Amino acid sequence: MFCSSEEVSDVAACSKRRVTEEDPVKDDLKKSRVEESEVENTDGQVVEGGGQQASRSDEVKAEVSPAIWFLLSSVTFYPFYLFFFAMSSDSSPPPLAPFDHRIVTPKPHQIATYYTINRDEVLGGGRFGQVHKCMENSSGLMLAAKIIKARSQKEKEVVRNEIQVMNQLNHANLIQLYAAFESRHDIILVMEYVEGGELFDRIIDENYNLTELDTVLFIRQICEGLQYMHKMYILHLDLKPENILCVSRATNKIKIIDFGLARRYKPREKLRVNFGTPEFLAPEVVNYEFVSFPTDMWSLGVISYMLLSGLSPFLGDDDNETLNNILACQWNFEEEEFTDISDEAKDFITRLLVKSKSWRLSATESLKHPWLSDQSLHYRLNQKVVKSHDINLFF
Ligand code: ADP
């Protein structure tokens, strides 16, 4: 456990920290990526007649009131709204792995006989090793190889558990296992490779402004993956933005990775976690109480909060303060980052960041919540983005 119950009663003030390294300029936050590129396109198209277009636009502006001008531009751009909405609210699942689901048993062979691991290309560093890009020699298939140091039988058992869990999971939002190799010092998992980087990078990237609608699409897919896992009676127990990978830079499709802590639900199992950042831990994990399906749902609440605001809801000045904030369930929407966020989004988070496990929404209930399911809300969220784009174009 991280802290005693006495420490908990002395709850430190919740000092939420921005996930970005530097505070972005406020105006930049308001710009969406689409908006920026559209402005560029428009600039590009009017290079020759730019002055003419600008002066005509100024004349009209002088004669027509802003409200009417806004209405006119809305009508002109209506087809664009529809197209943009269809594109940006695409709710189709991500592409399946480029191979059929398979049951993997670790082979005692040398991996180099079958695969070429690109040791120079590190996709990520994990708790127990590194992940590299690799290629299957016979097919040319690009994959990811997670090399996990495991010397003792106990360490090997932990990795075998990860393999066993992945063997049971066949879903487009969950990364798929292709092969495994076991040697004296390590076990290597060969997995489906995705190239879009961690969702975490999108939160901290100042050039990529996540809109609320983007967040809806991300959270809905995480929920789909979780709903499937929970139906299979499996808990992930380590959900955080680092463990959500984007399929590509261009789309909002994601896959959940890292089943290192995942396990079959056992009614009276506790989980001891004493590594890494505690920001995402549910109160029952901090308190070393029974973990269950709602434990993952708490993490989903934290991820939703972070994606919408770039802030970490429980992060304190040190780990102890963070843990105290979690145990006191001390969080709020007071930061200015939440000013423009919908009531539905706030309601969704409020129903997940609940200290008592049994009161949290399940994955199935979450998918039915208006924030994730109400099409007219999604249309409104989309219009907000397009309107701000419109205003930037004409005023
Ligand atoms: P650990 O269990 O050791 O924390 P992870 O499975 O979380 O390791 O992987 C560490 C990092 O490697 C991830 O955060 C991600 O950036 C990268 N990574 C992992 N799996 C893949 C994959 N299948 N495709 C691309 N990158 C990956």
Side-chain angles (χ1 to χ4, degrees):
M1 255 199 294
F2 290 98
C3 56
S4 68
S5 50
E6 292 87 68
E7 286 169 315
V8 175
S9 60
D10 180 25
V11 177
C14 175
S15 60
K16 277 168 256 171
R17 290 242 191 87
R18 176 165 288 290
V19 186
T20 41
E21 278 160 22
E22 295 168 355
D23 265 353
V25 181
K26 217 174 106 191
D27 282 350
D28 283 353
L29 267 175
K30 298 269 183 281
K31 279 185 218 152
S32 75
R33 208 159 57 111
V34 175
E35 181 187 314
E36 282 172 36
S37 65
E38 286 300 331
V39 171
E40 268 169 31
N41 283 346
T42 310
D43 285 343
Q45 282 163 5
V46 294
V47 169
E48 284 160 23
Q52 204 186 351
Q53 180 151 343
S55 58
R56 208 187 304 136
S57 149
D58 284 343
E59 274 169 33
V60 176
K61 261 194 259 173
E63 290 164 15
V64 184
S65 79
I68 294 176
W69 179 246
F70 189 78
L71 199 73
L72 282 172
S73 66
S74 297
V75 171
T76 313
F77 283 87
Y78 189 65
F80 167 70
Y81 289 158
L82 287 181
F83 173 74
F84 185 72
F85 179 60
M87 292 296 288
S88 58
S89 65
D90 175 15
S91 59
S92 60
L96 293 168
F99 50 86
D100 286 338
H101 180 75
R102 34 169 68 196
I103 303 299
V104 170
T105 37
K107 294 184 186 73
H109 312 135
Q110 284 289 321
I111 186 169
T113 318
Y114 306 98
Y115 297 85
T116 306
I117 296 183
N118 187 345
R119 301 264 169 190
D120 297 329
E121 195 159 352
V122 181
L123 296 172
R127 277 188 296 271
F128 308 111
Q130 281 184 328
V131 181
H132 297 264
K133 210 165 159 179
C134 82
M135 187 186 73
E136 186 179 35
N137 297 335
S138 61
S139 63
L141 191 62
M142 292 314 298
L143 296 148
K146 178 170 165 178
I147 305 171
I148 307 165
K149 287 188 194 75
R151 288 167 192 261
S152 68
Q153 272 314 310
K154 204 172 156 206
E155 285 170 334
K156 285 194 159 64
E157 269 319 308
V158 173
V159 189
R160 287 186 197 123
N161 172 68
E162 187 169 347
I163 294 170
Q164 232 177 35
V165 164
M166 291 183 86
N167 275 338
Q168 293 171 66
L169 302 175
N170 180 11
H171 191 275
N173 290 118
L174 308 176
I175 214 86
Q176 295 295 296
L177 184 62
Y178 190 67
F181 293 86
E182 187 171 329
S183 67
R184 237 156 67 93
H185 299 307
D186 47 40
I187 300 182
I188 302 177
L189 307 187
V190 182
M191 299 170 285
E192 169 188 6
Y193 162 66
V194 285
E195 60 182 18
E198 297 173 12
L199 191 51
F200 182 79
D201 294 332
R202 293 214 187 173
I203 299 178
I204 61 169
D205 185 349
E206 288 175 23
N207 297 316
Y208 185 93
N209 179 40
L210 281 172
T211 65
E212 186 174 333
L213 190 57
D214 288 329
T215 305
V216 165
L217 298 176
F218 286 131
I219 296 297
R220 201 157 60 190
Q221 291 172 82
I222 301 172
C223 248
E224 304 266 5
L226 273 185
Q227 183 190 40
Y228 173 85
M229 286 185 75
H230 292 175
K231 271 187 189 157
M232 300 297 285
Y233 255 64
I234 293 171
L235 313 174
H236 187 283
L237 298 178
D238 197 17
L239 274 183
K240 51 188 173 185
E242 293 93 319
N243 285 338
I244 312 290
L245 293 189
C246 301
V247 171
S248 74
R249 282 259 137 201
T251 68
N252 282 338
K253 307 290 176 203
I254 59 94
K255 296 193 185 237
I256 299 173
I257 60 162
D258 195 356
F259 301 91
L261 284 185
R263 63 204 54 214
R264 212 177 162 69
Y265 169 66
K266 293 195 195 98
R268 300 187 70 75
E269 187 163 58
K270 296 174 179 179
L271 177 71
R272 193 184 286 279
V273 180
N274 54 6
F275 50 78
T277 158
E279 283 165 80
F280 302 93
L281 301 182
E284 59 271 23
V285 178
V286 178
N287 262 343
Y288 194 46
E289 289 164 357
F290 301 126
V291 292
S292 180
F293 305 107
T295 308
D296 285 334
M297 301 315 293
W298 171 279
S299 310
L300 188 76
V302 178
I303 296 172
S304 307
Y305 188 105
M306 288 179 78
L307 286 174
L308 287 169
S309 65
L311 302 169
S312 184
F314 299 103
L315 194 64
D317 289 335
D318 53 40
D319 281 357
N320 222 29
E321 197 179 308
T322 303
L323 293 164
N324 286 337
N325 289 336
I326 293 169
L327 290 179
C329 203
Q330 177 128 323
W331 65 275
N332 57 57
F333 294 123
E334 279 163 17
E335 314 294 326
E336 65 161 344
E337 281 78 356
F338 284 100
T339 314
D340 288 334
I341 299 301
S342 71
D343 290 341
E344 288 85 347
K346 291 177 185 165
D347 184 75
F348 181 79
I349 293 173
T350 305
R351 289 169 193 274
L352 291 174
L353 296 184
V354 180
K355 187 165 182 191
S356 170
K357 285 196 300 269
S358 50
W359 292 102
R360 292 174 209 152
L361 291 180
S362 69
T364 304
E365 286 165 346
S366 295
L367 284 166
K368 289 184 189 146
H369 186 279
W371 189 53
L372 297 187
S373 65
D374 184 347
Q375 285 290 308
S376 56
L377 167 70
H378 300 163
Y379 186 76
R380 282 203 309 278
L381 292 176
N382 183 60
Q383 274 198 317
K384 240 168 47 181
V385 177
V386 179
K387 271 182 187 161
S388 70
H389 158 80
D390 231 18
I391 288 165
N392 280 340
L393 271 178
F394 293 102
F395 292 98

